Amino acid sequence: MSRERPTFDEAFWQQPVYGFDQTSKAAWLLPRLYQLHSWHLQQCPAYQQLQRRFVAEQPGKPVPWQAWHDCIPLHVRLFKEYELRSVPAEQVIKVLTSSGTSSAKVSRILLDSETASAQAKALVRIMQHWLGKERLPMLIIDHPNVIRDRASFSARGAGIQGMQIFGRQLCYALNDDLSPNWPALDDWLARHQGGPILVFGFTFMVWQWLQALAQQGRQLDLSQGVLVHGGGWKKLQQLAVNNQQFKQQVRQLTGMARVHNFYGMVEQVGSVFVECEHGHLHSPAFAEVVIRRAGDLAPLPVGEEGVIQVLSALPLSYPGHSILTEDRGRILGQDDCPCGRPGRYFSVLGRVARAEQRGCSDTVAVTAGEQHAVAL
Ligand SMILES: [Zn+2]
């Protein structure tokens, strides 16, 4: 078994973000994931305990994985119950948290500088594909204090900070109490309305902001803009709002036709899945999805609905390279999306029934000021 520390070298970053078909991607990413597995086995005693049965079954030399579903996942909830760490404590420079609600336990993701910088770099590579390299005037549908505490980031804060690299002349559209900051918006619009801009926010907060625009009878001209949003649909599903209606509302109130939803989580910051022009979430080079049957976790073929497992090439400082989520989804196809991007594409269908309520951006409206989010 390989014991060497995985690295993020030039060859790693030279991989095409959306250029791999499934076969060539497996040839590159599966050995990487296996290397991470070996690394965490060696470095993280808790991971070793959790994987012990697997190791015992294959004494000596475990066979490298042949398929995505060979990657054994840790359940996402373990990151709430245990401190899972694969580097010495003194190397941890940042702790990401998923939730601040009193009822839900918080995921704590421990980052060393190498993992944090790889996450930032991967996010840049992914988002540049959708946004281009030019920094755009950026409207953030959130309040400025969400990124103020730099040592202990909420996923939402981390997401916003990560995205700021694509923006300039930033404007936060909300006040600390999440009410719209109309003077700030008007000031920013006076300078940038009608031009190319970037709007970023968490899905439910964008939705609420749109409702506030409608209530005020405001009609913006952001027709040259692009909206990037993510963080869960649960609250919107409760309001019976789907992706299509969301986009319709965006277009009606702001003129924006380019809208990209993303799917990601605090346990795998950086390797996000972004929605293409056809509404499909695409796997980037650094990440992959597996769908498993809810009952026995058997891997499911294209088209069948089950629990989403996410794989990421990035986590070095914690064993988060293969995680079983509490989300339901379906693989829509492989290497044949009409947008032309090769690889696996999928949709997220909601939460697993009776899953523990995670504090995510969906709950922000109810508990203003607390830190939440499933994020970039
Ligand atoms: Zn596509």
Side-chain angles (χ1 to χ4, degrees):
M1 186 187 308
S2 162
R3 293 288 190 199
E4 69 201 58
R5 181 185 172 96
T7 54
F8 298 99
D9 54 13
E10 271 311 300
F12 181 90
W13 295 113
Q14 276 166 7
Q15 304 306 318
V17 181
Y18 293 102
F20 279 129
D21 60 29
Q22 275 290 288
T23 309
S24 55
K25 183 170 174 181
W28 178 69
L29 186 56
L30 270 175
R32 170 78 184 186
L33 291 165
Y34 188 75
Q35 196 188 16
L36 282 167
H37 165 73
S38 303
W39 164 254
H40 293 302
L41 271 184
Q42 181 193 15
Q43 296 293 123
C44 179
Y47 185 75
Q48 195 178 55
Q49 288 300 319
L50 291 163
Q51 300 278 353
R52 193 168 50 181
R53 185 161 171 269
F54 168 75
V55 176
E57 277 172 358
Q58 301 184 45
K61 208 173 175 186
V63 178
W65 299 331
Q66 301 298 315
W68 302 119
H69 60 255
D70 288 339
C71 309
I72 303 163
L74 294 192
H75 195 278
V76 68
R77 216 175 291 172
L78 286 166
F79 291 90
K80 296 179 182 172
E81 304 288 341
Y82 304 99
E83 182 179 281
L84 298 170
R85 176 164 53 75
S86 301
V87 294
E90 59 270 21
Q91 287 179 18
V92 173
I93 58 152
K94 198 186 276 184
V95 180
L96 296 176
T97 59
S98 64
S99 163
T101 59
S102 50
S103 56
K105 280 200 173 177
V106 180
S107 275
R108 284 170 49 82
I109 305 303
L110 310 176
L111 304 181
D112 66 351
S113 60
E114 196 176 5
T115 304
S117 97
Q119 288 178 341
K121 205 164 174 178
L123 184 64
V124 167
R125 294 289 309 281
I126 291 167
M127 295 313 300
Q128 272 183 348
H129 174 88
W130 304 96
L131 299 174
K133 289 193 174 176
E134 195 190 341
R135 293 176 79 136
L136 298 169
M138 183 175 184
L139 182 64
I140 298 166
I141 312 301
D142 216 309
H143 65 90
N145 280 323
V146 73
I147 59 162
R148 207 141 284 180
D149 182 2
R150 301 177 84 90
S152 178
F153 262 162
S154 70
R156 203 169 104 222
I160 288 167
Q161 205 209 22
M163 284 298 292
Q164 282 186 358
I165 195 163
F166 302 100
R168 57 184 169 90
Q169 289 153 306
L170 308 185
C171 171
Y172 286 86
L174 306 181
N175 297 305
D176 283 358
D177 65 356
L178 302 180
S179 62
N181 185 344
W182 298 120
L185 178 69
D186 289 336
D187 183 50
W188 186 86
L189 285 172
R191 286 175 287 140
H192 303 298
Q193 187 159 233
I197 51 121
L198 168 62
V199 183
F200 177 76
F202 286 82
T203 306
F204 186 62
M205 305 192 70
V206 174
W207 178 256
Q208 284 198 310
W209 181 72
L210 291 170
Q211 304 320 299
L213 285 178
Q215 274 166 17
Q216 294 256 324
R218 281 168 176 256
Q219 184 83 38
L220 312 184
D221 175 14
L222 306 179
S223 54
Q224 301 304 305
V226 53
L227 169 64
V228 175
H229 72 100
W233 285 94
K234 184 162 179 256
K235 194 90 183 176
L236 288 183
Q237 280 167 343
Q238 285 168 1
L239 298 172
V241 177
N242 62 29
N243 195 3
Q244 200 182 352
Q245 291 161 322
F246 182 91
K247 285 181 173 172
Q248 221 165 29
Q249 186 87 317
V250 170
R251 193 162 196 164
Q252 201 177 326
L253 290 163
T254 71
M256 267 188 295
R258 288 176 60 202
V259 178
H260 295 290
N261 184 218
F262 67 82
Y263 175 66
M265 50 193 54
V266 67
E267 292 81 6
Q268 289 184 352
V269 167
S271 54
V272 294
F273 304 89
V274 180
E275 177 192 19
C276 74
E277 301 78 3
H278 294 270
H280 303 151
L281 293 163
H282 277 264
S283 302
F286 320 109
E288 194 50 276
V289 290
V290 174
I291 305 294
R292 293 181 181 272
R293 189 158 53 208
D296 60 5
L297 299 182
L300 292 174
V302 170
E304 288 193 32
E305 181 181 332
V307 184
I308 299 175
Q309 174 187 354
V310 284
L311 308 172
S312 171
L314 305 179
L316 262 190
S317 56
Y318 64 98
H321 56 291
S322 174
I323 289 176
L324 189 69
T325 73
E326 293 178 319
D327 297 319
R328 287 181 301 114
R330 178 165 55 212
I331 294 169
L332 299 170
Q334 299 187 152
D335 300 330
D336 58 2
C337 183
C339 76
R341 292 175 187 86
R344 194 169 264 194
Y345 57 100
F346 66 104
S347 62
V348 178
L349 302 165
R351 305 292 286 165
V352 173
R354 293 193 305 277
E356 176 190 339
Q357 172 66 49
R358 295 181 77 196
C360 65
S361 60
D362 291 350
T363 58
V364 160
V366 190
T367 51
E370 290 189 79
Q371 304 288 302
H372 306 265
V374 179
L376 287 168

